[in-house]
Amino acid sequence: VAPVLLDPGATPGLPAWGPSAAAVLVGPEGGWSDAERDELAALGATAVSLGERVLRVETAGVAAASLLLLG
């Protein structure tokens, strides 16, 4: 399964995958570099956003996991 890249500049929403079929990549504080985004996209990562607010790294993973469990 291709990983999901959390990126505030991407389209909001997560794919409807079950939690066992998803790899969620939470970026470093300060965000992903353009080179990192390009490399991950080349590996098949889908960039998505959790909404208009930028979450701290400690909460972004928990929020993404919660949305995957709901999906």
Side-chain angles (χ1 to χ4, degrees), residues 14-52:
L14 290 174
W17 295 329
S20 63
V24 178
L25 305 175
V26 179
E29 191 170 328
W32 299 100
S33 70
D34 290 338
E36 290 169 327
R37 282 187 197 93
D38 292 343
E39 188 173 337
L40 290 166
L43 294 172
T46 302
V48 297
S49 169
L50 294 178
E52 63 185 60

